[in-house]
């Protein structure tokens, strides 16, 4: 039980780290600069070995069925972390600065077709797998290039408009009522899972 509480706590922290990335992205007018600064969230997750759903889900295909339960735990932990962050931001002057842009971003996602969200979720899952797996495979040899790969992958999925389920949790919860985004979020989550696992499976086959 203690283990699950610990893992859930690491997932909450990961959700909060991604939320910081979302806030800085919404606060910067230049989209390229915002996409680069957003990567602080994923870098924090990787450096401190926190539990991020889009970083864990791609490995479902390589693990036992029980791993699905672990990824579900991480998803809910990320959800809690982004919810806490969105609530806290509401009580700060930052909220007034970013709420209009956040509402625009969240509404465009909520109004998109489910098929579009699913496909964009797949592409984001692929980018996240590339970033996380490359970083992990560096082992103790992590250096500037390791971080640079993460930054590039994050910038690409943001500028391309791909859908990241955990980041979207924050955008949705900060700006829209839950009835408008719960189904889109589920579809985005499934897209992330499919994209990450597809790429993981294909690269695994190549390595073998």
């Amino acid at each position: 039980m203690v283990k699950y509480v610990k893992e859930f706590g690491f997932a909450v922290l990961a959700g909060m780290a991604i939320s910081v990335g979302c806030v800085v992205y919404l606060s910067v007018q230049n989209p390229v600069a915002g996409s680069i600064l957003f990567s602080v969230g994923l870098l924090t997750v990787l450096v401190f070995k926190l539990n991020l759903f889009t970083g864990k889900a791609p490995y479902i295909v390589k693990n036992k069925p029980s791993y699905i339960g672990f990824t579900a735990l991480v998803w809910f932990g990320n959800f809690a972390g982004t919810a806490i962050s969105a609530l806290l931001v509401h009580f700060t002057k930052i909220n007034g600065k970013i709420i209009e842009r956040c509402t625009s971003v969240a509404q465009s996602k909520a109004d998109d077709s489910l098929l579009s969200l699913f496909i964009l979720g797949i592409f984001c899952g692929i980018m996240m797998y590339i970033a996380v797996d490359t970083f992990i495979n560096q082992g103790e040899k992590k250096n500037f290039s390791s971080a640079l790969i993460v930054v590039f992958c994050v910038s690409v999925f943001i500028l391309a408009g791909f859908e990241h389920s955990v980041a979207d949790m924050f955008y949705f919860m900060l700006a829209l009522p839950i009835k408008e985004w719960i189904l889109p979020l589920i579809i985005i989550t499934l897209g992330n899972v499919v994209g990450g696992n597809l790429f993981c499976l294909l690269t695994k086959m190549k390595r073998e």
Side-chain angles (χ1 to χ4, degrees), residues 81-155:
T82 53
I84 292 169
S85 300
L87 178 63
L88 293 176
V89 168
H90 269 303
F91 293 102
T92 71
K93 63 181 179 181
I94 297 174
N95 185 65
K97 179 181 178 183
I98 67 174
I99 192 63
E100 183 176 349
R101 186 179 180 194
C102 185
T103 301
S104 176
V105 169
Q107 195 67 63
S108 69
K109 296 172 184 291
D111 291 341
D112 198 3
S113 71
L114 297 182
L115 177 60
S116 174
L117 292 173
F118 181 68
I119 294 172
L120 293 174
I122 289 175
F123 282 122
C124 185
I126 292 172
M127 297 311 301
M128 286 297 296
Y129 171 74
I130 293 171
V132 172
D133 200 68
T134 302
F135 190 89
I136 292 175
N137 284 334
Q138 291 291 321
E140 297 301 321
K141 298 179 180 179
K142 295 182 180 68
N143 50 35
F144 177 75
S145 65
S146 307
L148 193 61
I149 291 171
V150 173
V151 172
F152 270 117
C153 288
V154 170
S155 296

Side-chain angles (χ1 to χ4, degrees), residues 14 23 62 64 81 130 138 143 177 195 200 208:
V23 170
K62 293 176 63 176
K64 298 178 180 179
I130 293 171
Q138 291 291 321
N143 50 35
C200 180
E208 293 176 347

